[in-house]
Amino acid sequence: MTVLREIGRAPDPMAMRLDTRPGEVVDRETAFTFYWNGHSYPAYEGDTIASALAACGVRIFSRSFKYHRPRGLLTADYLDPGCIVQVDDEPNVRGGHRLARPGMTVRPQDTWPSLAHDVKAANGLLGRFLGPGFYYKTFIRPQSLWPTYERVLRRFAHGGEVPATAQAPGGRPRYDKRFAHPDVLVAGAGPAGIAAAVAAARSGAQVVLVEEEHSLGGHLRWGGPADLTALQELRDLVGATPGIEVLTNSVVLGRYDDNWVAVVQRGLAGGAERLVKARVKCLVVAAGLLERPYVFAGNDIPGVMLSTAVRRLVNLYAVRPGTRAVVLTANPEGDATAEDLTTAGVQVVHVEDARRGGDVVRAFGRSGVTAVEVAGGRRLECDLLVTSVGWTAPVSLLTMAGNIPRYDERCARFRPDVARLPSGVMATGGIVGDGSTAELVAHGEATGREAANRADRLAREWRTMAPQGSGEGAARPAPRPESARIPELAPQPHPELFRGATHGIVDFSEDVSSKDLFTAVAEGYRYVELAKRYTTATMGPAQGKLETVNVVAIVAEATGRTIAETGTTTWRPPYAPVTLGALAGRSREPRRVTPMQPWHELHGAVPLVAGAWIRPDHYGDPESEVLAVRERVGIIDVTPIGKIDLRGPDVPRLLNLLYVNRWSKLDVGRVRYGVMCAEDGVVLDDGVTGRLDIDHYLMSTTSSGAATVWEWAERWLQTEHPDWQVQVTPVTTAYASVNVAGPRSRELVQRVVDDIDVSSEAFPYMAVRVGQVAGVAGCVLWRIGFTGELSYELHIPASYGLHLWERLLEQGRDLGVRPFGVEAQRILRLEKGHLIVGQDTDGLTRAFSAGLAGLVKLDKDDFVGMPELGWQRESGDDVRLVALRTADPALVPHEGTQLIDGNDRICGRITSSRMSPTLGRSVCLAQVAEHLAQPGTEVAIRLTDGGTAVATVSEHLAQVDLQGVRLRG
Amino acid sequence: MIVLTCPWCGARDSEEFGYVGELGARRPDPKAATPAQWRSYLYQRANIAGWTSERWYHRMGCRRFLTVERDTTTNEVRSVLDAGGLAEDQ
Amino acid sequence: MTDSAARAHHDVAKQPAGRGHPVAALRRSRYSALSLLRHGIRGDDWPLAWRTHDLRRGYQVVIVGGGVHGLATAYYLAREYGITDVAVIERGYIGGGGSGRNTAILRSNYLTPEGVRFYDRSLTLYSALAAELNYNVMFSRRGHLTLAHSDASLRTMRWRAEVNKHSGVDSEVIAPDDVKRLVPHLDTSSEARYPVLGALYHPPGGIIRHDAVVWGYARAADSLGVHIHQDTEVTGIDVSGGRVTGVRTTGGDIATPVVINCTAGWSTTVSDMAGVRMPIQTFPLQAAVTEPVKPFLRTVVVSGTLHVYVSQTDRGELVFGASVDPFASYSTRGSLEFVEGLSTHVLELMPSLDKLRVLRQWAGVCDMTPDFAPIMGATDVDGFLVDVGWGTYGFKAGPVAGEAMAQCVATGATPELISSFSLSRFARGRLVAEKGAAAVGH
Amino acid sequence: MAEEVPIARSPIVPADPEVVAAGWAVSGRRSSAALRITDCMPLAKVAIKAPLGGAMAHGLGVRFGRSARQRWEIGEGEAVVLVVGAGPGEWLVLGPPRTQDRLRSVLCHTAAVTDELVSVIDLTHGRALLRLTGERSGDLLAKECGVDLADEACPDGAALRSAVSGVATDLIRDDVDGADRAPTTSYLLHCERSSGQYLFDSLLDAGAELGVDIDGYVPPGL
């Protein structure tokens, strides 16, 4: 089809390139080629993809979303909806902004030769039926067909393609982040923005000046000689003023609560992007003005452009946008455009002046404008139609600060309510009002000075609060006096032009027409938000910057309300689309390892990710690790176990408060197992606590609970009992911890301790000793038995952890010592019937449901969760933790499988299950309904394959060493 | 990211802190409390849209529990005090 | 039969019963390919999807909140029980709250039997909704994957799968290879910081066009005689002698014996007007959407560990959601830390998406209850019913909640389906066990 | 069977060449880069908790948010220590390698004469300690820490605790003499031990574009 042929057409090298223009940004000394749609095209350094292609006469860059109409340049900048392309593996690149690079491969995104016929049809017929929400009205019956319809709809999805696999790290752009604390951040480097930055810096402020485009100066860049002179002066000022950090090709993404401002720096070396997170003391928004498209029949035909697009192409890139032009102008910029065209050798066949009632009724043509009908029915042949019908103030950063813009019919645009801005946010430049360059600069300077003052006041406030000031040097010079009032920047009168006499496209990326909006209103979607959602106007990649005001105006027209009554729509961050990569930055996931990790890695440990901790799950054969412990001796690295140092006379009160059991009488040298519950009686954590000295205790917690329990203790002490004499210090990783378990563990420990008698008499079960181990003083040993075996937990100053580990293996070689991992430990404790908080308990499991009845001391004065546990004991109906014995000893039901009662109702679940190498049969823990918890009760397990198996509730949770002989041996 | 002006550390990003919750009713006497009283203490919340007193914890900083006055409709913070009444000059 | 429900029943029973006939009522504006063609050719306008009315001085039932819950309740009251003297009071525009801000994911793979039963009913209603309402809500059953990155979460997945299967809901735990087959862009390598150990696969899950659900219910309810009042805010609820007597709004006062609180985010404020206290805290829930790209992601992908869920719309955009904000707030301004965390986690899962751009972020407000389950049915004030506390899962339940609340009002009895969601459960210490899932295996 | 005190190991694997200094396995690498990072693990680290405004607090003479070098009598001989006001009622004393036992006993004696509740805990092996030196160290930290470290806000001697790369870290501004004896910006970073390697790697990665280089440890390093 013609359109595709045109896109595929071989380049006509720089046919539309003009002779050197005074303000051009292209470097004619540096030429190169790149690829567009499979063909090689020339470009100059400084060209955007769009300008380089336009210079070669390319007029069509994409196809529209719904009707697949050909689309050309509209704004020739980042916002251009007609020039969104695929660059290499990057989708949705803005061709009007992205600089052309040697060898880059650029492809159109939405031209589907394979769909040529659909496309043709869509262009010709379908349009009338694809009205707003047409999909809500059809594909309803038969429902069975909807998935098929849906697949067709999905093929219409607009946009580029993402690769299935990430680039090799080398080729992958590097993403980075940094924090910044500028006094003043200026968003937008037009004349007012530059003036504000310079004035603020001269007042002593640290300033960041952010410009979305590749160079400073805003609209001055494509202006006349006077503008270019002013531009040079302003740029020199920036260069000459210390304290200004300039970020170009960077955009302020959003202003969040408390002036938390996000800026993304694009196009750094190697395509890198950096997110700057700035706590800005005063934000100055100088976003300028955006030119607004005009709505009329044919307003999306290639060759219909905004005046700013034409001036960019002609003056910045020296590109002739057409040969015969008609200009619709309502303001001086439009007039200037006509002059620019003439100087560029474009024949301006007619200038239609909207200030004198001129108008454009419709444009003719398909793949390009061929003629225009103006007011009065005159038809003019042309290949370029320029519109200059008004401006939109990009107020989104201000609305993010809670400001509500007001419609001002005098200048036909929404303006920020500057009087109501928070003190940390100011605005200057076109977004506020109109004026000569001198007036804009004056307004910017005054704003910049005031911004510096406000920043200074906040800085003083914060400095006085921060404790780390040295007292001396930190003092700043005395506060500056209030700056002179900021001059008025009055908006110039401008005719209200939104839609002409005919219907045309309102949202170019979504293919939404003014007719669609009228229809939506007629169907009852009368609120702008509803009309937007129903038609999807403003939902596309242009984020509504070009079309929102036209949408509001047209909904107003359709509902017979005024624009002010109709109101505007919410602006949401980000201000510009931003890559997931830039938002993610360098991947940064905290990772914790024990002192023995190097050994584990060397010896084939299979890693287990447990929160931030990386631990050995096993060393290849967990079952034999289990047997080694049961029959000989094993060692496990349990460093992650939480350890908290508690000191002070009131420690027992704290323990009595946090634990459900009693702590008043714990002798020095003894340890005790304890369980903590929350105020709702739900089990929170467990562990042993030992008394090392009169007022000195060491508490242990679960690995995952270490931080929680520390905060829990601090919380009760700080907020409920600030009078208690207790000091809490977390010492989890001050010690490397090794559990030595198994019948021969005493022998092994004996060989490494230097000054501790480990005989059963001197060091009984549930005792703690402090002494020297493997040449290292200050070690803590306690004799406990999570595994159910005789075992000692050795805590050694962490820098010697690896040394101890290696000593144990070497000293225990003849004893058959073996390292074991978390998996073996899980099996061992399960054989012994010891629960794991968070696995055998859940978010509703209270102490009496976890087999802890014997522990709970309801006669204490108080402890956390006491009342709920009291009531739980009375109310009989709850769940209980039991050990289950499957009829088939070989059956290991999955953890999480459900227990079923006689009425096929769920009555419990398996919480832990493993094949026991020790018993040669499966062992399970389960939560069952209380009435089924009696030993000997038979329960049915609903297996994952749907089958059922029978199991019996055991007498004890433990299946190994019921009397605990091994423990106490 | 809002700013909490910690009485100990100065102005810091809220990311450094842990939010504990609104300051509800005081803890009833565990020996005397009826189930209704206790569960109201456990579960009922004023959930005010506006100025609220709440508990925060400066996890990455001074590790003190703090009493914060915040407007839940704007996230504006009015005051931040040490929950235990601790102060440098005591 | 509870007092307030009985009261409500007594008052509505006076109504001539007899089921409404939406199909007949809708004939004048029936949607179909044919009518689309007809309108296309004639180029004439479609009739109003719903009308605007003057506020009456009295209604039999006043529903506060014009979201999917409120509108569905109104629709089923009219459709199932012929109760049409109903007003839906909406502060802004319909669907402007949680209904228009959620990520439109549907699933029924919950943890507790009561949860599964409840959401499964909702899914059933959703799948027939387009025909029922004669409005294509574009329910797309594409399957729902919940990834497990640790043995603990794998255990929870198994737990959920088994409870689901027992309730006849299609869920199973699948292996990393099968996950990779379903989502080729996913990094299932063992080098991943959060390796994929498996996933809970729930084929019936999917996504839907949330606005369409709201508009479809509004249009159908309107055609049955329900009044929808937008731009009208409830300012007070009159209670005397422990009974609801009326509602005050910015549009005028209404006398009514029955008020149903169907709001989200602001439900405490509305309940406070009736003097009913709630165990609720309001948290923002944020979401974001990317620029459209060609379809590459069919299923809905969720990672609990990484607090992220992802789906791709038919338009090609990726829609991202996460868990609620770290602190309570009524503010619906998005935060930067949200999109940062989100992006980090999305790229942990699908590293090749790094050049995809976030287009828009937004936030809604959610009513979080202590046990991650809703609060439905009667309260201590006669005639004041609640359908609140929907946390982050309210949209999924819209149809079934509407059906159940309508039954509550019309029959005066609390349906068994929602009996475990009563407000009184907190005073009784009988919380719903969905909390179990949230608290196990992190 | 008592034995020799073994070699102590830092949580951070020493960059080649590995040498032994003051009983520690450390990196013998030498760098003259403008921005350097050093693992200072061998330094003695003693944590103190004592009542605010009490005698012990007064004796230490450093308030929260500041640090100061002091010359202490410890058993036989003197030592230059860095006393850090690490938190409210919380101090950290950094001393030369192998002084932790003497520092602890000195502090315990002082505590004994006050009748206050004082915790003195040797955390020499329980924490990781890094030093980042160079004019651009602030720029590097600005990538990983959200606190304003400008000279005005965080002058030499300042001490604060915040998140660095997401890890709770004590940051101490402790400038050192540069080549020409002019003070060079330097920070000590002190965090929980098991996150040490991660923090070290994270700073290396963040500093790559600033040319950060590993410099080995040379006693006393304080």
Side-chain angles (χ1 to χ4, degrees), chain A residues 180 182-185 258-261 278-283 424 458:
Chain A
D183 295 314
V184 175
L185 185 141
D258 287 344
N259 262 8
W260 186 236
V261 175
R279 181 67 69 188
V280 177
K281 296 183 195 70
C282 190
L283 171 66
L458 184 57

Side-chain angles (χ1 to χ4, degrees), chain A residues 589-595 597 608 610-615 639-642 703-704 706-707 731-734, chain C residues 193, chain D residues 126 167 192-198:
Chain A
E589 294 288 331
R591 183 174 179 276
R592 302 178 68 183
V593 294
T594 79
Q597 184 63 18
L608 170 77
W613 282 105
I614 312 294
R615 307 184 60 180
T639 303
I641 281 183
S703 314
S704 53
V731 293
T732 299
T733 51
Chain C
R193 172 66 176 80
Chain D
V167 175
E192 170 280 323
R193 176 185 176 113
S194 68
S195 305
Q197 182 77 59
Y198 159 77

Side-chain angles (χ1 to χ4, degrees), chain A residues 824-843:
Chain A
Q825 187 190 38
R826 287 213 194 93
I827 299 172
L828 289 158
R829 68 89 201 181
L830 181 54
E831 291 174 338
K832 180 61 182 172
H834 286 150
L835 69 89
I836 292 180
V837 174
Q839 172 167 348
D840 302 300
T841 71
D842 60 49

Side-chain angles (χ1 to χ4, degrees), chain B residues 19-34:
Chain B
Y19 172 76
V20 179
E22 78 176 35
L23 285 185
R26 279 207 64 75
R27 184 170 188 254
D29 172 356
K31 283 230 176 293
T34 66

